Amino acid sequence: MKVKVLYFAQVSEKLGINSEEITFQKEHPTLWDLMDYLVKTYPVLDELSYKIAHNQVLTKENAALSERDEIALLPPFAGG
């Protein structure tokens, strides 16, 4: 199963990439499985502030991932 991960602003700058596809071998991966993988792959993520969007909806919840889901790591922003 593949999911697309998009990186924006400081996250993109620190990682040196804008996006990538992650392939999971695990059955029924979750958003937290993905985040665990990303932090292990890119330890600098532990030092950055960002919000997570799952299929263009901001979330703090764990959720099951599906084929071709889109996850975005977004810079913190203020509403107005």
Side-chain angles (χ1 to χ4, degrees), residues 25-69:
Q25 302 302 321
K26 178 182 179 180
E27 272 190 61
H28 313 293
T30 66
L31 180 57
W32 292 167
D33 292 329
L34 173 63
M35 293 310 300
D36 183 57
Y37 168 82
L38 291 175
V39 169
K40 286 178 181 171
T41 303
Y42 307 110
V44 71
L45 288 175
D46 263 346
E47 302 168 14
L48 301 175
S49 294
Y50 52 87
K51 295 190 180 281
I52 301 170
H54 181 197
N55 294 327
Q56 300 181 358
V57 177
L58 288 177
T59 186
K60 292 182 181 177
E61 304 295 322
N62 195 11
L65 296 176
S66 300
E67 182 75 23
R68 299 289 173 200
D69 275 1

